[in-house]
Amino acid sequence: MMRTRPLKVALLGCGVVGSEVTRIITTQTADLAARIGAPIELAGIAVRRPNRVRAGVPAELLTTDATALVKRGDIDVVVEVIGGIEPVRTLITTAFEHGASVVSANKALLAADGANLHAKAVEHGVDLYYEAAVAGAIPLIRPLRESLAGDKVNRVLGIVNGTTNFILDKMDSTGAGYSEALDEATALGYAEADPTADVEGFDAAAKAAILSGIAFHTRVTIDDVHREGLTEVTAADIASAKKMGCTVKLLAICERAADGRSVTARVHPAMIPLSHPLASVRGAYNAVFVEAEAAGQLMFYGPGAGGAPTASAVLGDLVAACRNKLAGTTGAGESAYTQLPVSPMGDVVTRYHISLDVADKPGVLAQVATVFAEHDVSIDTVRQQGRSQSGGDTNDGAAAEQTGAVRRAGGEASLVVVTHRAPDAALSATVESLRKLDTVRGVASIMRVEGE
């Protein structure tokens, strides 16, 4: 039997996502009521500019007093799509204090202060849901938190920012440089006027923190995530990746240590083999690859941003929160029971692809190899980035051994070294030692190799 008294919903924010949430609630009223077991009523919408024209948004619901809206006491669920830290954190905790559950798409706040928000929700006996905070419409948070609750997740590897994936895909498919690809992303609306949060990896780092906490049942904040952006990725890096049968992606990587005693979380560009499922993710799409002990390898793929996809995730959480209200219960809360420490980036075991500009004289390769040996880093391959002095191409170090260097046309020498797996600290120290060699004119690029 359906309850006749409606559940009241307050909406904080009515931009691209908020407008779409409003549209779905007002046009799919009967369907939502049937799924929930009671009708829902949009009781108020907090905005900063009430005079702005919003198609399909009832003007009588608009208010500039968000605090008064969440304090009403008759609100069952607050949907927050404003973003940022404050005043949103205060508004959410106020909603909890007045008995409302919260559905949020706020990755920045959850990555910075998710533990405290969960504690407040538990204290007041309400829900906190945030499927829309990571990867848009892709069902990811709930599968990790619920479907895989009985399994042991060891690794989460993902493309979680559509803007950066569009840029790197454009560089890969057309040979464009970073600036040119960014300009196209901006013109098409994939990149903001200020793209810093995307291209410097802040957006992906927040999502990595959230995913790590859920996957490994421990508390991870954005401050625990190692972050590198893609602004230094060049067309030459993309071309070098192609020679290795790889492509370049900005990856969020969350891993459990082999001994199970710690976790790591990081965001950075990396080369991945074309055979890896993530390599085929094109344009502004997102995808997350999960490795679990019993379930094995799982792939989640779909649109990671945009009004309609994000609103889809918001509405899924809204239905769940409303059902719990009817049942007088709460859903899955924070499961940070393991309290595993987050290890620094230096402890991560990975591989490096290093491009060196070196002096054009005998013995250079031997000096370079000695530096790697001194840091206990094993070399997998050495190859030229151009043509050898004899005019032939080579994919290994054989021709280089004859002259001590690998030469580009015009007499300049270049070495591309790919290592075996080693601690990132040892690899980083190796690069710093290479910079000090008189025969090394410069380290042209460094990129990690993942996904093998």
Side-chain angles (χ1 to χ4, degrees), residues 377-448:
V377 175
S378 175
I379 295 175
D380 182 16
T381 61
V382 179
R383 75 180 194 278
Q384 70 180 47
Q385 187 133 324
R387 298 181 62 83
S388 68
Q389 191 176 32
S390 63
D393 291 323
T394 180
N395 290 322
D396 56 34
E401 290 286 5
Q402 297 175 11
T403 62
V406 180
R407 304 180 182 209
R408 289 185 184 147
E412 293 185 359
S414 175
L415 289 175
V416 175
V417 181
V418 181
T419 72
H420 286 292
R421 289 169 59 82
D424 197 85
L427 291 162
S428 181
T430 301
V431 172
E432 290 307 306
S433 295
L434 289 171
R435 294 185 196 275
K436 297 175 183 177
L437 288 179
D438 292 338
T439 51
V440 174
R441 294 172 176 169
V443 179
S445 72
I446 308 163
M447 192 169 293
R448 295 175 184 87

Coordinates of all heavy atoms in Angstrom, one line a residue, residues 377-448:
V377 N 67.7 -0.5 -9.5 CA 66.6 -0.4 -10.4 C 67.0 -1.2 -11.7 O 68.0 -0.8 -12.3 CB 66.2 1.0 -10.8 CG1 65.2 1.1 -11.9 CG2 65.7 1.8 -9.5
S378 N 66.2 -2.1 -12.1 CA 66.6 -3.0 -13.2 C 66.0 -2.3 -14.5 O 64.8 -1.9 -14.5 CB 66.0 -4.4 -13.0 OG 66.2 -5.2 -14.2
I379 N 66.8 -2.4 -15.6 CA 66.3 -1.8 -16.9 C 65.7 -2.9 -17.7 O 66.2 -4.0 -17.8 CB 67.5 -1.2 -17.7 CG1 68.1 0.0 -16.9 CG2 67.1 -0.9 -19.1 CD1 69.3 0.6 -17.6
D380 N 64.5 -2.6 -18.2 CA 63.8 -3.6 -19.0 C 64.2 -3.4 -20.5 O 64.7 -4.4 -21.1 CB 62.2 -3.3 -18.9 CG 61.4 -4.3 -19.7 OD1 62.0 -5.4 -20.2 OD2 60.2 -4.1 -20.0
T381 N 64.1 -2.2 -21.0 CA 64.5 -2.0 -22.4 C 65.2 -0.6 -22.5 O 64.9 0.3 -21.7 CB 63.3 -2.0 -23.4 OG1 62.4 -0.9 -23.0 CG2 62.6 -3.3 -23.4
V382 N 66.0 -0.5 -23.5 CA 66.6 0.8 -23.9 C 66.4 0.9 -25.4 O 66.7 -0.1 -26.2 CB 68.1 0.9 -23.6 CG1 68.7 2.2 -24.1 CG2 68.4 0.7 -22.2
R383 N 65.9 2.0 -25.9 CA 65.6 2.1 -27.3 C 65.9 3.6 -27.7 O 65.9 4.5 -26.9 CB 64.2 1.7 -27.6 CG 63.1 2.7 -27.3 CD 61.7 2.2 -27.7 NE 60.7 3.2 -27.7 CZ 60.1 3.6 -26.6 NH1 60.4 3.1 -25.4 NH2 59.2 4.6 -26.6
Q384 N 66.1 3.7 -29.0 CA 66.3 5.0 -29.6 C 65.0 5.8 -29.8 O 63.9 5.1 -30.0 CB 67.1 4.9 -30.9 CG 66.3 4.3 -32.0 CD 67.1 4.2 -33.3 OE1 68.2 3.8 -33.2 NE2 66.5 4.6 -34.4
Q385 N 65.0 7.1 -29.8 CA 63.9 7.9 -30.2 C 64.3 8.6 -31.5 O 64.6 9.8 -31.5 CB 63.6 8.9 -29.1 CG 62.3 9.7 -29.3 CD 61.5 9.7 -28.1 OE1 61.5 8.7 -27.3 NE2 60.8 10.8 -27.8
G386 N 64.4 7.9 -32.5 CA 64.8 8.5 -33.8 C 65.6 7.4 -34.6 O 65.3 6.3 -34.5
R387 N 66.7 7.8 -35.2 CA 67.5 6.9 -36.0 C 68.9 6.8 -35.5 O 69.5 7.8 -35.0 CB 67.6 7.4 -37.5 CG 66.2 7.4 -38.1 CD 66.3 7.9 -39.6 NE 67.0 6.9 -40.4 CZ 66.5 5.8 -40.9 NH1 65.3 5.5 -40.7 NH2 67.3 5.0 -41.6
S388 N 69.5 5.6 -35.5 CA 70.9 5.5 -35.1 C 71.8 6.1 -36.1 O 71.5 6.4 -37.2 CB 71.2 4.0 -34.9 OG 71.2 3.3 -36.1
Q389 N 73.1 6.2 -35.7 CA 74.1 6.8 -36.5 C 74.2 6.0 -37.9 O 74.5 6.6 -38.9 CB 75.5 6.8 -35.8 CG 76.5 7.6 -36.5 CD 77.8 7.7 -35.7 OE1 78.1 6.7 -35.0 NE2 78.5 8.8 -35.8
S390 N 74.0 4.7 -37.8 CA 74.1 3.9 -39.0 C 72.9 4.1 -39.9 O 72.9 3.6 -41.1 CB 74.3 2.4 -38.7 OG 73.1 2.0 -38.0
G391 N 71.9 4.7 -39.4 CA 70.7 5.0 -40.2 C 69.6 3.9 -40.0 O 68.5 4.1 -40.5
G392 N 69.8 2.9 -39.2 CA 68.8 1.9 -39.0 C 68.1 2.2 -37.7 O 68.5 2.9 -36.8
D393 N 66.9 1.5 -37.6 CA 66.1 1.7 -36.4 C 66.3 0.5 -35.5 O 66.6 -0.6 -35.9 CB 64.6 1.7 -36.7 CG 64.3 3.0 -37.4 OD1 64.8 4.1 -37.0 OD2 63.4 3.0 -38.3
T394 N 66.2 0.7 -34.2 CA 66.3 -0.4 -33.2 C 65.3 -0.3 -32.1 O 65.0 0.8 -31.7 CB 67.8 -0.5 -32.6 OG1 67.8 -1.6 -31.7 CG2 68.2 0.8 -31.9
N395 N 64.9 -1.4 -31.5 CA 64.0 -1.3 -30.4 C 64.6 -1.8 -29.1 O 64.0 -1.9 -28.1 CB 62.8 -2.3 -30.7 CG 61.9 -1.7 -31.8 OD1 61.7 -0.5 -31.8 ND2 61.4 -2.6 -32.6
D396 N 65.9 -2.0 -29.1 CA 66.6 -2.3 -27.9 C 67.9 -1.6 -27.8 O 68.2 -0.7 -28.6 CB 66.8 -3.9 -27.8 CG 67.6 -4.4 -29.0 OD1 68.4 -3.7 -29.5 OD2 67.3 -5.5 -29.4
G397 N 68.8 -2.0 -26.8 CA 70.0 -1.3 -26.6 C 71.2 -1.8 -27.4 O 72.3 -1.3 -27.2
A398 N 71.0 -2.8 -28.3 CA 72.2 -3.4 -29.0 C 73.0 -2.4 -29.8 O 74.2 -2.3 -29.6 CB 71.7 -4.5 -29.9
A399 N 72.3 -1.6 -30.6 CA 73.0 -0.6 -31.4 C 73.7 0.5 -30.5 O 74.7 1.0 -30.8 CB 72.1 0.1 -32.4
A400 N 73.0 0.8 -29.4 CA 73.5 1.8 -28.5 C 74.8 1.4 -27.8 O 75.7 2.2 -27.6 CB 72.5 2.1 -27.4
E401 N 74.9 0.1 -27.5 CA 76.1 -0.4 -26.9 C 77.4 -0.2 -27.7 O 78.4 0.0 -27.2 CB 76.0 -1.9 -26.6 CG 74.9 -2.2 -25.5 CD 75.4 -1.9 -24.1 OE1 76.5 -1.3 -24.0 OE2 74.7 -2.2 -23.1
Q402 N 77.2 -0.2 -29.0 CA 78.4 0.0 -29.9 C 79.0 1.3 -29.8 O 80.2 1.5 -30.0 CB 77.9 -0.3 -31.3 CG 77.4 -1.7 -31.6 CD 76.9 -1.9 -33.0 OE1 77.1 -1.1 -33.8 NE2 76.2 -3.1 -33.2
T403 N 78.2 2.4 -29.6 CA 78.7 3.7 -29.6 C 78.6 4.4 -28.2 O 79.1 5.4 -28.0 CB 77.9 4.6 -30.6 OG1 76.6 4.7 -30.2 CG2 78.1 4.0 -32.0
G404 N 77.8 3.7 -27.3 CA 77.6 4.3 -26.0 C 76.4 5.3 -26.0 O 76.2 5.9 -25.0
A405 N 75.8 5.5 -27.1 CA 74.7 6.5 -27.2 C 73.8 6.1 -28.3 O 74.2 5.4 -29.2 CB 75.1 7.9 -27.3
V406 N 72.5 6.5 -28.3 CA 71.6 6.3 -29.4 C 71.4 7.6 -30.0 O 71.1 8.6 -29.3 CB 70.3 5.7 -28.9 CG1 69.3 5.5 -30.1 CG2 70.6 4.3 -28.2
R407 N 71.5 7.8 -31.4 CA 71.5 9.1 -32.0 C 70.3 9.4 -32.8 O 69.7 8.5 -33.4 CB 72.7 9.1 -32.9 CG 74.0 8.8 -32.1 CD 75.2 8.9 -33.0 NE 76.4 8.5 -32.3 CZ 77.6 9.0 -32.5 NH1 77.8 9.8 -33.5 NH2 78.6 8.6 -31.8
R408 N 69.9 10.6 -32.7 CA 68.8 11.1 -33.6 C 69.5 11.6 -34.8 O 70.6 12.0 -34.9 CB 68.1 12.3 -32.9 CG 67.2 11.9 -31.7 CD 66.4 13.1 -31.3 NE 65.6 12.8 -30.1 CZ 65.4 13.7 -29.2 NH1 65.9 14.9 -29.3 NH2 64.6 13.4 -28.2
A409 N 68.7 11.8 -35.9 CA 69.1 12.5 -37.1 C 69.6 13.8 -36.7 O 69.0 14.6 -35.9 CB 68.0 12.5 -38.1
G410 N 70.8 14.3 -37.3 CA 71.3 15.5 -37.0 C 72.4 15.5 -35.9 O 73.0 16.5 -35.5
G411 N 72.7 14.3 -35.4 CA 73.8 14.1 -34.5 C 73.4 14.2 -33.0 O 74.2 13.9 -32.1
E412 N 72.2 14.6 -32.6 CA 71.8 14.6 -31.2 C 71.5 13.2 -30.7 O 71.0 12.4 -31.5 CB 70.6 15.5 -31.1 CG 70.8 17.0 -31.4 CD 69.6 17.8 -31.1 OE1 68.6 17.2 -30.7 OE2 69.7 19.0 -31.3
A413 N 71.8 13.0 -29.5 CA 71.7 11.6 -28.9 C 70.5 11.6 -27.9 O 70.3 12.6 -27.2 CB 72.9 11.2 -28.2
S414 N 69.7 10.5 -28.0 CA 68.6 10.4 -27.1 C 68.4 8.9 -26.7 O 68.6 8.0 -27.5 CB 67.3 10.8 -27.8 OG 66.2 10.6 -27.0
L415 N 68.2 8.7 -25.4 CA 67.9 7.4 -24.9 C 66.5 7.3 -24.3 O 66.2 8.3 -23.5 CB 69.0 7.0 -23.8 CG 70.4 6.7 -24.2 CD1 71.2 6.5 -23.0 CD2 70.5 5.5 -25.1
V416 N 65.8 6.3 -24.5 CA 64.5 6.0 -23.9 C 64.7 4.8 -23.1 O 65.0 3.7 -23.7 CB 63.4 5.9 -24.9 CG1 62.1 5.6 -24.2 CG2 63.2 7.3 -25.6
V417 N 64.6 4.9 -21.8 CA 64.7 3.7 -20.9 C 63.4 3.4 -20.2 O 62.7 4.3 -19.7 CB 65.8 4.1 -19.8 CG1 66.0 2.8 -18.9 CG2 67.1 4.5 -20.4
V418 N 63.1 2.1 -20.2 CA 61.9 1.6 -19.5 C 62.4 0.6 -18.5 O 63.1 -0.3 -18.8 CB 60.9 0.9 -20.5 CG1 59.7 0.4 -19.7 CG2 60.5 1.9 -21.6
T419 N 62.0 0.9 -17.2 CA 62.5 0.0 -16.1 C 61.6 -1.1 -15.8 O 60.4 -1.2 -16.3 CB 62.6 0.9 -14.8 OG1 61.3 1.1 -14.4 CG2 63.3 2.2 -15.1
H420 N 62.1 -2.1 -15.0 CA 61.2 -3.1 -14.4 C 60.6 -2.4 -13.2 O 60.9 -1.2 -12.8 CB 62.1 -4.3 -14.0 CG 62.5 -5.1 -15.1 ND1 61.6 -5.9 -15.9 CD2 63.7 -5.4 -15.7 CE1 62.2 -6.5 -16.8 NE2 63.5 -6.3 -16.7
R421 N 59.7 -3.1 -12.5 CA 59.0 -2.6 -11.3 C 60.0 -2.4 -10.2 O 60.9 -3.2 -9.9 CB 57.9 -3.5 -10.9 CG 56.7 -3.5 -11.9 CD 55.8 -4.6 -11.6 NE 55.2 -4.6 -10.2 CZ 54.2 -3.8 -9.9 NH1 53.6 -3.0 -10.8 NH2 53.7 -3.8 -8.6
A422 N 59.8 -1.2 -9.5 CA 60.7 -0.8 -8.4 C 60.0 0.2 -7.6 O 59.0 0.8 -8.0 CB 62.0 -0.3 -8.9
P423 N 60.4 0.4 -6.3 CA 59.7 1.4 -5.5 C 59.9 2.8 -6.1 O 60.9 3.1 -6.7 CB 60.5 1.3 -4.2 CG 61.0 0.0 -4.1 CD 61.3 -0.4 -5.5
D424 N 58.8 3.6 -6.1 CA 58.9 4.9 -6.7 C 60.0 5.8 -6.2 O 60.6 6.6 -6.9 CB 57.5 5.6 -6.5 CG 57.3 6.8 -7.5 OD1 56.9 6.5 -8.6 OD2 57.6 7.9 -7.1
A425 N 60.3 5.6 -4.9 CA 61.4 6.4 -4.3 C 62.7 6.1 -5.0 O 63.5 7.0 -5.2 CB 61.4 6.1 -2.8
A426 N 63.0 4.8 -5.3 CA 64.2 4.4 -5.9 C 64.2 4.9 -7.3 O 65.3 5.4 -7.8 CB 64.4 2.9 -5.9
L427 N 63.1 4.9 -8.0 CA 63.1 5.4 -9.4 C 63.3 6.9 -9.4 O 64.0 7.4 -10.3 CB 61.7 5.0 -10.0 CG 61.5 3.5 -10.3 CD1 60.0 3.2 -10.5 CD2 62.3 3.1 -11.5
S428 N 62.7 7.6 -8.5 CA 62.8 9.0 -8.4 C 64.3 9.4 -8.1 O 64.8 10.4 -8.7 CB 61.9 9.6 -7.4 OG 62.0 11.0 -7.3
A429 N 64.9 8.7 -7.2 CA 66.3 9.0 -6.9 C 67.2 8.7 -8.1 O 68.2 9.4 -8.3 CB 66.7 8.1 -5.7
T430 N 66.8 7.7 -8.8 CA 67.6 7.4 -10.0 C 67.6 8.5 -11.0 O 68.6 8.9 -11.6 CB 67.1 6.1 -10.7 OG1 67.1 5.0 -9.8 CG2 67.8 5.8 -12.0
V431 N 66.4 9.1 -11.2 CA 66.2 10.2 -12.1 C 67.1 11.4 -11.6 O 67.7 12.1 -12.4 CB 64.8 10.6 -12.3 CG1 64.6 11.9 -13.1 CG2 64.0 9.5 -13.0
E432 N 67.0 11.7 -10.3 CA 67.8 12.8 -9.8 C 69.3 12.6 -10.0 O 70.1 13.5 -10.3 CB 67.5 13.0 -8.3 CG 66.1 13.5 -8.1 CD 65.8 14.8 -8.9 OE1 66.6 15.7 -8.8 OE2 64.8 14.8 -9.6
S433 N 69.8 11.4 -9.9 CA 71.2 11.1 -10.1 C 71.5 11.2 -11.6 O 72.6 11.7 -11.9 CB 71.5 9.6 -9.6 OG 71.4 9.6 -8.2
L434 N 70.6 10.8 -12.5 CA 70.9 11.0 -13.9 C 71.0 12.5 -14.3 O 71.8 12.8 -15.1 CB 69.7 10.4 -14.7 CG 69.6 8.8 -14.7 CD1 68.3 8.4 -15.3 CD2 70.8 8.2 -15.4
R435 N 70.2 13.3 -13.7 CA 70.3 14.7 -13.9 C 71.7 15.3 -13.6 O 72.1 16.3 -14.2 CB 69.3 15.5 -13.1 CG 67.8 15.2 -13.5 CD 66.9 16.1 -12.7 NE 65.5 15.7 -12.6 CZ 64.6 15.9 -13.6 NH1 65.0 16.7 -14.6 NH2 63.4 15.5 -13.5
K436 N 72.4 14.7 -12.7 CA 73.7 15.2 -12.3 C 74.9 14.7 -13.2 O 76.0 15.2 -13.0 CB 74.0 14.8 -10.8 CG 73.0 15.4 -9.9 CD 73.2 14.8 -8.4 CE 72.1 15.4 -7.5 NZ 72.3 14.8 -6.1
L437 N 74.6 13.8 -14.0 CA 75.7 13.3 -14.9 C 76.0 14.3 -16.0 O 75.1 15.0 -16.6 CB 75.2 12.0 -15.7 CG 75.1 10.7 -14.9 CD1 74.6 9.6 -15.8 CD2 76.4 10.3 -14.3
D438 N 77.3 14.5 -16.2 CA 77.8 15.5 -17.2 C 77.3 15.1 -18.6 O 77.1 16.0 -19.4 CB 79.3 15.6 -17.1 CG 79.8 16.3 -15.9 OD1 79.0 17.0 -15.2 OD2 81.0 16.0 -15.5
T439 N 77.1 13.8 -18.8 CA 76.8 13.3 -20.1 C 75.3 13.4 -20.4 O 74.8 13.2 -21.5 CB 77.3 11.9 -20.3 OG1 76.8 11.1 -19.2 CG2 78.8 11.8 -20.4
V440 N 74.5 13.7 -19.4 CA 73.0 13.8 -19.5 C 72.7 15.3 -19.6 O 72.8 16.1 -18.7 CB 72.3 13.2 -18.4 CG1 70.8 13.5 -18.5 CG2 72.5 11.7 -18.3
R441 N 72.3 15.7 -20.8 CA 72.0 17.1 -21.1 C 70.6 17.5 -20.4 O 70.4 18.7 -20.1 CB 71.9 17.4 -22.6 CG 73.3 17.3 -23.2 CD 73.2 17.4 -24.7 NE 74.5 17.3 -25.4 CZ 74.7 17.2 -26.6 NH1 73.6 17.1 -27.5 NH2 75.9 17.2 -27.2
G442 N 69.7 16.6 -20.3 CA 68.4 16.8 -19.7 C 67.6 15.6 -19.7 O 67.7 14.7 -20.5
V443 N 66.6 15.6 -18.7 CA 65.6 14.5 -18.7 C 64.4 15.1 -19.4 O 63.7 15.9 -18.9 CB 65.3 14.1 -17.2 CG1 64.2 13.1 -17.2 CG2 66.5 13.7 -16.5
A444 N 64.2 14.6 -20.6 CA 63.1 15.2 -21.5 C 61.7 14.9 -20.9 O 60.8 15.7 -20.9 CB 63.2 14.7 -22.9
S445 N 61.5 13.7 -20.4 CA 60.2 13.3 -19.8 C 60.3 12.1 -18.9 O 61.2 11.3 -19.1 CB 59.2 13.1 -20.9 OG 59.4 11.8 -21.6
I446 N 59.4 12.0 -18.0 CA 59.3 10.9 -17.1 C 57.8 10.5 -17.0 O 57.0 11.4 -16.9 CB 59.8 11.2 -15.7 CG1 61.2 11.8 -15.7 CG2 59.7 9.9 -14.8 CD1 61.5 12.5 -14.4
M447 N 57.5 9.2 -17.2 CA 56.1 8.8 -17.1 C 56.1 7.4 -16.6 O 56.9 6.6 -16.9 CB 55.4 8.9 -18.4 CG 53.9 8.7 -18.3 SD 53.0 9.1 -19.8 CE 53.3 10.9 -19.9
R448 N 55.1 7.2 -15.7 CA 55.0 5.8 -15.1 C 54.2 4.9 -16.1 O 53.5 5.4 -17.0 CB 54.2 5.9 -13.8 CG 55.0 6.6 -12.7 CD 54.2 6.8 -11.5 NE 54.9 7.6 -10.5 CZ 54.9 8.9 -10.4 NH1 54.2 9.6 -11.3 NH2 55.6 9.5 -9.5

